[in-house]
Every structure is written in C-alpha cells, then in structure tokens.
Amino acid sequence: MKFSVKKIYKYVSRRYWDKIRKNIPAKANPRLTKPDPQMYNQIVRFAENFPVNTIKYGDEHLWPYLRNHLLVQLTALSIGKIDGATTKPSRLHLGTTENFDIDKKHELAKEYGFQFVEDIDSNEEVDFLFFTALNASEQVHVEKKIYYRVTDPVFEAAKRLSSAKKIELIRNISPAIKKTPNYYHRPDFIFSPHIKRIGYSDSINIKSNFFRYFRRFFPLIDISPKIINDLFDWELHTRDFYKDILLKVNPKVVFVPSFHYHAPLISAAKELGILTVDIQHGIQVGYNPLYNNWEEIPSEGYRSLPHVFMVWGQKEADNISKVFGKHSTAVKMGEPWVQKQFEFNVPISEKLMSRISRHSHVILLAMQSQTEVPTLFKTLISKGGKDILWLVRMHPKGKRYSVADFDPVNKNVVVSKEVDDIPLVSLLQYADFTLSEGSSIAAEGATLGVTALISSETGKQNYESEVKQGTFKYIHNLDSFKAAIDEDIGVNSGKNYTNEIALDAVLSDLLAIQKKQQHGDRVCG
C-alpha cells in the first residue's frame, strides 16, 4: 500500500496515540446501559466526508471490511471497554495462531473429529451451506443439546428440501470446544488456516489524507499504515481461505447469521457465483447501523454485502428495500424459532412454577449489553408492587448479575440458570409483560400477545411504529410503568404459534434465484 510518509507520520506517532489512549476512559461512557448511537454516527459522518469508495483491491471495494471493524470497536468503546481502541485484524475472523500450532490442531482433530480444509469431501453434493460460530450467542440448550436458534430452524427446512451442510470454524483454543460433542446438529468443524497469505496490501492505494480524516472522526481508535495494511491483508486472506472451502463444497446457496462477521465469506461466494443470504438474528429497524445508513453504496454495489436478507416480516423487508435498494433483496421467513420452541415444549421447573403462581403479574426482564443494572429497573422492582414477579434473563454475551444487583431486599426477583437457558417461549407463556431497553425479546413476546414495555430512547426508536400504535408501551419512570400495568394491557394469548410462511417455499425460491444468477440473469448485489 502506498502512502506519503511525510504527510502521515505526524498523525500516527506513538506519542500521539499514547495521549489518545489516556483520554479513552473519560470519553467512553462506562455507565451507558446500551451502545451509544452517537458513536455509530461517526461511521456515517466519515463516509460522508471521506471518499471511502476509493479504497479498493482490484475491483473490490474494501470500505465494508473496515466499516465492520469500526462498528465492533465503537460498540466496545461506547460501553467503556478500552480494548475497543485497538484495531485487531483477527477480531472478526479466523482467530490467531498464538498457542494454536499445527501439533495442537492434529491433537484436537484426533480427539473431536475436527478437519483441515484439505480433508473436506469434495464429492458430496450440497445445495445449502450454513456457517455458524463457536460459542455464538444464538446457542440455546434444548434436550441437553446445543441448538442454534437462528440457523438451525432454517437448516432443518433446507435438509427437508434438499442437501444441506453446516460448517463451523475452530479459530483458537477455546473452552467452548468441549461443548461441540453436544450439538443438536453437528456441523463439519474446520480449522482456521495455519498458513497466512500476505501481500494484498501492496496492491492497495489509499489517499494520503485518509489518516487525517480517520483521526478526526474516530479519535479513540488507533490507526497507522501498518494497522490498516494488516487489517486488509487479514480480511483478504480470510476471503481466500473461505474461497478454498467453497471450491471444495461447491454449494448453491450460503447462509450466515450476521453478515458483518462474514464479509470475506460473502465476497468469496459472490466471486464463485454462489447466492449469499443473511438470516435475521435481531433488531434491524431503528438505530442499528448494520442495517441502516448505507448511503455510500456505489452503483455497482459492495461484493461483501449479501444478495438476500431473510427477515421476520414486512417491517424489516421494507427497511432492507429502503436502505440497500437494488443491491440486496429481502425475503420474509416469519419467526421459525418461535414455532420451533413450541415443538420442543420444554416445561419450566416445579420450583419456578410455584413462584409464578404466587404473583398476579409476571414480567420477563431482558438484560442486554449493560455494564450495570439501569436505575429505572431497580426503581420499578423495588416500588412497582410486591404482586409482581420479575424473571431476569441475561444476555448470552452480557454481564452476569445476582439478585442483589436488582433488589437486595424484596423476594420477587428470580435470577437463575433456568431462566437464562430455557427456551424463551416456555417463559413467555406465563409472562404478562416483557421489559427491556429495546431487546428483540419484545418482538418475540408480541407474537404470543405479551405486551412489551420499552424503557430507553433507542428502544423507542427501534420500535417506533409499535409504540405509536400502542401495541408496545414506552415507559420512562415509575408512574408510566404503573399506568401500563394498571391498564392491564398484558393479555397473554397462551396459544401456539404457527409460522405463516413456509420455509420450504422460501428456500425453493432461493434456489430459483441462484439458477437465474448461474444463467447470467441479473441478481441484486
């Protein structure tokens, strides 16, 4: 990569960045109970002021790769994690080779049946290929097995229709490896590469004022010529590794549960004429920068964005159309995980059922990425009424709390492994309300007639239409909470949920789209 050293040096001196790091604790906000949207606006403003589409490798735009890293780093910084200031090329993909040498990989291959990419059977016919992540937040425990709530319902439909396979990369030495024998649907476990391809950055030119603009819009994030070179080298190395896998498996359609963690895979698949699909895993409409604020997309699109977004409903489909236009299309799939939970029919324990039966109202409180329990939650629990039972469900990747963190006095709070691990529907069948700062649990509960209480401005923005219609209630203090409860709007239907959209038909449509693409017809993206 070519830079004007004299122009850049003053912006990337070690002394300057040491000074920046010292300022991080003051600028980052450890008391935020949710990532700060203002942080994400830095990405939008940067793309408005710097010509991000001039950053290319050959004919591929590289801005989405950098954007994905910035999103993850700003999320960390906004809740006070200083580590977010450091740009780590392997943060999103593949992991590092540190303490994971080839001998250790052979040892794990023998013990767990893991494979190297060269071991993949290239004679197996596969139409649908799914990628999952070790220790992902979509993991839930069902029938003493680990089930992937976003991926597996679609995977099961794909297997009913045609040939399907799952792949999961083993990126590093992780305690989660010990859980792999307990997967409900075992994937092919493939080791990340032990040889790193480099030199891509030698063919990338970046404008000399890049670092000046970067420092202006991302003052808390470390940057230098070496950092940006290493990042793009790693992303493109990852892309070519995925290309090796795809050439072996030769699928027609590839699915991922979060496209920003799979940009190199999507790029590799598109190069090979494979249809790429993102499966909705959480809220898309509102302040979420993953699915919004892509005004900088060039006319030819970005190779690292998926062809298709599989979404829950019309609200999300409209948003995808508005944001991505001709470059991607939305396909509605309903909420297959909600229906699947009824099929599992996991009962709650007698102990928990006994506590539920002793209260007139049950509220399922969903924690997210908070670094501390919001003051409003504590107030509602302590003063909202003793006839309310609070079931607190932790985020899989969030901080773990005890009952004392919510209310050290009252006995109407349940914090337990059962509430965290049991399929959500098992709890929603007994809940009158859900409460969160804007969790997707609000939407899932609504499918069963459980009224959602939203307690943050960003959550209110995410569910703007629902709040306006009155189906969701925005609460900001004790009085607004009591008004919602007294209105007795929480009318739980307690009925089964049947997904109105047939996944088999959706998947058949995806094969038809891929066939058109194969024959040279224009496909979005």
Side-chain angles (χ1 to χ4, degrees), residues 13 63 108 136 227 252 262 289 345 347 378 390 396 406 428 443 468:
S13 68
W63 164 241
L108 291 172
I227 287 172
K252 295 177 181 176
H262 295 89
N345 192 28
K378 294 180 181 180
W390 297 84
F406 295 88
L428 289 173
K468 284 183 177 178

Side-chain angles (χ1 to χ4, degrees), residues 113-273:
F114 299 162
Q115 297 177 289
F116 294 90
V117 66
E118 51 266 30
D119 299 326
I120 296 175
D121 183 3
S122 58
N123 295 317
E124 183 181 1
E125 186 174 312
V126 176
D127 281 343
F128 301 109
L129 180 61
F130 296 77
F131 282 83
T132 54
L134 190 70
N135 206 30
S137 60
E138 64 163 313
Q139 289 183 348
V140 293
H141 292 83
V142 175
E143 300 174 356
K144 298 182 179 180
K145 295 285 186 178
I146 294 173
Y147 190 86
Y148 281 70
R149 61 182 176 83
V150 176
T151 303
D152 282 351
V154 184
F155 172 71
E156 290 167 356
K159 286 196 73 174
R160 290 194 301 267
L161 180 66
S162 186
S163 52
K165 177 194 287 285
K166 288 174 61 180
I167 284 180
E168 189 162 299
L169 297 188
I170 303 298
R171 304 166 15 136
N172 47 37
I173 299 295
S174 167
I177 287 175
K178 295 180 180 179
K179 300 190 297 183
T180 56
N182 296 323
Y183 281 21
Y184 199 93
H185 295 293
R186 179 182 170 88
D188 287 357
F189 293 101
I190 308 296
F191 288 115
S192 57
H194 46 277
I195 297 175
K196 178 184 174 183
R197 286 170 265 209
I198 60 174
Y200 302 94
S201 58
D202 293 337
S203 301
I204 301 171
N205 290 309
I206 291 185
K207 288 181 176 294
S208 59
N209 61 352
F210 169 82
F211 290 93
R212 175 163 58 87
Y213 277 89
F214 191 98
R215 185 187 69 181
R216 174 184 168 191
F217 290 99
F218 307 108
L220 301 182
I221 295 180
D222 200 350
I223 194 66
S224 72
K226 183 180 186 306
I227 287 172
I228 204 70
N229 283 347
D230 289 348
L231 186 149
F232 287 140
D233 272 345
W234 191 266
E235 293 287 322
L236 295 171
H237 152 66
T238 304
R239 182 202 62 182
D240 284 350
F241 173 69
Y242 276 125
K243 189 175 177 180
D244 293 339
I245 293 177
L246 296 174
L247 286 170
K248 281 271 192 176
V249 181
N250 193 29
K252 295 177 181 176
V253 186
V254 164
F255 297 83
V256 298
S258 50
F259 73 87
H260 68 305
Y261 278 105
H262 295 89
L265 167 61
I266 292 169
S267 174
K270 281 189 173 181
E271 183 179 335
L272 297 174

Side-chain angles (χ1 to χ4, degrees), residues 443-478:
E444 293 177 78
T447 64
L448 305 183
V450 182
T451 298
L453 306 177
I454 306 298
S455 66
S456 74
E457 284 294 333
T458 52
K460 182 181 178 182
Q461 180 181 347
N462 290 343
Y463 293 113
E464 182 179 7
S465 61
E466 290 87 348
V467 171
K468 284 183 177 178
Q469 293 165 7
T471 54
F472 287 17
K473 297 295 177 179
Y474 172 63
I475 61 168
H476 58 281
N477 56 25
L478 181 61

